[in-house]
Structure formats: C-alpha cells, structure tokens
Amino acid sequence: MTIRVLLADDQTLLRSAFRVLVDSEPDMEVVGEASDGAEAVRLAREERADVVLMDIRMPGTDGLAATRLISADPELAGVRVVILTTFEVDDYVVQSLRAGASGFLGKGSEPDEMLNAIRIAAEGEALLSPLATKGLIARFLAQEGPSDPDRDPDRAEKLQSLTVREREVLVQVAGGHSNDEIAERLEVSPLTVKTHVNRAMSKLGARDRAQLVVVAYESGLVRPRGDQ
C-alpha cells in the first residue's frame, strides 16, 4: 500500500525538498502541496491523503487551526497530521497534540527520521521525536496544570472505565516508552501491551498514542515531572 502524503508549508523551496525525499521512497508518494492551512484541509479531503506534513506557522489559516479542522471532520478521520516546527520547544507543540496531531518533528530532523515519521503516522501510531519526551510535554501542560477530572464528568467516567492494567500501560505511554519497553517493565508481551493501548484509545476516544499522552496529563492521571 502506497502512503499518500500531503505537504503543507508556505516555503516553496522546502516543499520541493520534501517532495524529492518522499517521492524517492517506493512505498509513498506526494499527492499535493499546500501553502496555507485552508488549502491543506481542502487537499487532504480531495486527494485522500494518509499523512499531512504540516508546518505550524503559515499565513492565513495556520497549521494549528488546520489540524483542528482535520481532526474535527469525520470524513478525515483516517488522516494523520505530523506537525513540522523549527523550534521543538514551541508552546504550539502541545497545542497541536491537543488539536489532534499525531506528533511532531523539528525541521532539522534527518531525512530518515522524517520518512520513518510518515510511516509511523500512517500506521496510526504516535510520533514523538526524541526531544518530545515526557519532560517536554509535561512542562507545557504544567503551565496550565492538569485538568480536574471532576470538571469533566465524561472524561472522568472514561478514565474510570480503564482496567488497572490499562491505567498502568497508559502511565507508561505518557512516559514516552515504546511497546517493547513497556512490555519489559510490566513483564508482559509487546502484543499484550498493544492490546491494552488499543483498548485505552477506544475507551478514551483517542485517535492515537499522542492523544493518550495528552489525556494522561490533562486528566491528572500522570503528574508533570512525576516519577514515571
């Protein structure tokens, strides 16, 4: 199956470089280019893109607004957004995850990292680059503090629906650990971990692992800077 990639960036030269890189891979192809967020949303629908590489800062409708629009559109439920940003410590990073992005990469990432990111996102997994670990996410969420579950009965009820093991796995996911790492920590198989992750996503209404991380911190299940 060929991964259909949409490039959204207001810099023509950068889009051209990304196109050459993506089109050089046998399992993926660029199906469109957008210079602003509004065009990205339109093309994502028209070209049936699987993954959108979305610049966070563009004129008009920016990447954050476009990500929200894509995430909120049922017809685009299968579209994964990977945010591209110059500064991985930008406050927009966590806002992007909250808006529905599957993760983000710095524009200075190596070509192999970007190609791997596209494949990971296309598979429905979360992409959190090496700098986007629990410390970064926790730091920004700590600026507002974790949400009080009592203020959101629906979310509190969903959290209560998780089994003890699913909560344990969710805490590990929020810590930035892979399925293999979680399996080793909890002394279970990677397949078992994947099953628990999928069940947690279903119960919490999360699109992918990135959304699980945000829910874990915002709900207060995981505390910023806590011991994971």
Side-chain angles (χ1 to χ4, degrees):
M1 176 181 174
T2 300
I3 302 172
R4 300 172 64 80
V5 182
L6 174 64
L7 307 175
D9 195 297
D10 62 330
Q11 297 182 47
T12 304
L13 185 60
L14 198 56
R15 293 201 311 270
S16 297
F18 289 161
R19 175 181 279 275
V20 171
L21 177 64
V22 172
D23 282 342
S24 69
E25 296 299 296
D27 62 336
M28 59 183 71
E29 65 174 331
V30 173
V31 296
E33 296 184 26
S35 59
D36 61 56
E39 187 177 17
V41 175
R42 178 178 62 80
L43 289 177
R45 182 179 295 105
E46 293 179 356
E47 301 298 337
R48 294 176 297 155
D50 297 309
V51 177
V52 180
L53 292 182
M54 184 86 75
D55 184 18
I56 193 72
R57 291 170 177 163
M58 293 182 287
T61 302
D62 63 18
L64 182 59
T67 299
R68 285 194 183 115
L69 290 171
I70 290 174
S71 179
D73 190 337
E75 295 183 6
L76 300 178
V79 179
R80 300 297 180 223
V81 177
V82 175
I83 294 293
L84 296 175
T85 178
T86 303
F87 305 101
E88 291 193 64
V89 294
D90 198 314
D91 179 46
Y92 285 130
V93 166
V94 169
Q95 291 185 50
S96 300
L97 295 178
R98 285 171 169 157
S102 294
F104 60 92
L105 277 176
K107 288 187 176 180
S109 299
E110 294 295 324
D112 285 346
E113 287 184 272
M114 182 167 293
L115 294 173
N116 187 50
I118 293 172
R119 295 187 177 99
I120 290 174
E123 292 174 357
E125 296 292 335
L127 173 75
L128 299 178
S129 63
L131 290 180
T133 57
K134 62 179 180 180
L136 174 62
I137 295 173
R139 182 163 65 252
F140 283 112
L141 290 176
Q143 292 178 359
E144 298 179 5
S147 301
D148 181 354
D150 291 336
R151 297 179 185 176
D152 187 345
D154 184 56
R155 170 163 289 175
E157 183 178 347
K158 289 179 179 178
L159 283 175
Q160 292 173 3
S161 71
L162 298 181
T163 65
V164 173
R165 180 59 86 181
E166 287 166 357
R167 282 173 176 256
E168 290 176 340
V169 170
L170 178 54
V171 169
Q172 296 298 319
V173 169
H177 304 295
S178 68
N179 283 358
D180 287 343
E181 292 171 335
I182 296 173
E184 183 175 353
R185 283 168 166 249
L186 300 183
E187 299 183 342
V188 297
S189 72
L191 180 59
T192 296
V193 173
K194 184 176 181 179
T195 297
H196 287 311
V197 169
N198 288 338
R199 288 176 178 170
M201 286 194 293
S202 177
K203 291 179 179 180
L204 298 175
R207 288 166 59 95
D208 53 32
R209 289 173 81 101
Q211 300 307 301
L212 283 182
V213 173
V214 173
V215 170
Y217 280 106
E218 288 190 323
S219 67
L221 178 63
V222 176
R223 296 291 177 178
R225 302 181 187 279
D227 181 10
Q228 307 302 323

